[in-house]
Amino acid sequence: MKSSIRIVVFLSLLAPVAWAAPALPTVTVYKSPSCGCCGKWVEHMKTNGFPVVTHETEDVAAHKARLGVPVALGSCHTAEVGGYLIEGHVPAADVKRLLAEKPRARGLVSPGMPASAPGMDDTRKTPYEILLVGKDGKTATYARH
């Protein structure tokens, strides 16, 4: 009887560990120190469980080029997470989906600055798309919001 109680106690101690969600990877963000909406997007990512490291820089374009952001699809900030590029105001849910699916791609872009994307303050729910950038630079719609 004592051994079965010990086993139950041991298993109950392990249960929280076994069911804990894996930690999300760190998002590394490159942004201009003067851009307020970028800071709001960083807060959106933190609120959704991502640890974030922010690098203030006046040369965000160098990071866009290094990561392979298509020139016509740029936005105000660029990020890296889990080996993928994240360009602009991509919702955290889309980033989590990308990390779960692990497509062979460069990453996700939210071209321009969609008014109703995370980090922007427009509450009118203006439709916008998130694009998946393939290894070859070609894009496809990944999500519609």
Side-chain angles (χ1 to χ4, degrees):
M1 187 77 163
K2 284 184 179 180
S3 64
S4 62
I5 291 173
R6 284 187 201 140
I7 292 171
V8 169
V9 170
F10 176 75
L11 291 176
S12 67
L13 292 173
L14 288 180
V17 174
W19 294 102
L24 292 168
T26 298
V27 177
T28 303
V29 181
Y30 304 94
K31 68 178 226 38
S32 166
S34 61
C35 186
C37 67
C38 296
K40 290 178 182 179
W41 182 79
V42 166
E43 289 308 313
H44 165 76
M45 296 303 284
K46 287 179 180 178
T47 298
N48 283 278
F50 285 95
V52 180
V53 173
T54 302
H55 297 280
E56 306 280 342
T57 178
E58 294 298 340
D59 191 12
V60 179
H63 297 284
K64 293 177 189 310
R66 176 178 59 82
L67 295 169
V69 176
V71 176
L73 303 178
S75 185
C76 52
H77 60 269
T78 300
E80 299 178 77
V81 62
Y84 292 102
L85 75 88
I86 306 296
E87 177 67 9
H89 295 267
V90 176
D94 293 344
V95 176
K96 288 177 181 179
R97 178 179 154 210
L98 175 79
L99 294 170
E101 293 177 350
K102 296 179 177 37
R104 291 184 43 82
R106 290 184 193 169
L108 299 176
V109 298
S110 178
M113 297 173 70
S116 57
M120 304 300 284
D121 289 330
D122 193 332
T123 58
R124 292 180 284 178
K125 302 294 181 201
T126 305
Y128 66 99
E129 290 186 339
I130 301 301
L131 305 175
L132 179 70
V133 180
K135 293 282 188 185
D136 60 0
K138 293 181 181 176
T139 62
T141 299
Y142 189 74
R144 288 186 171 90
H145 299 279

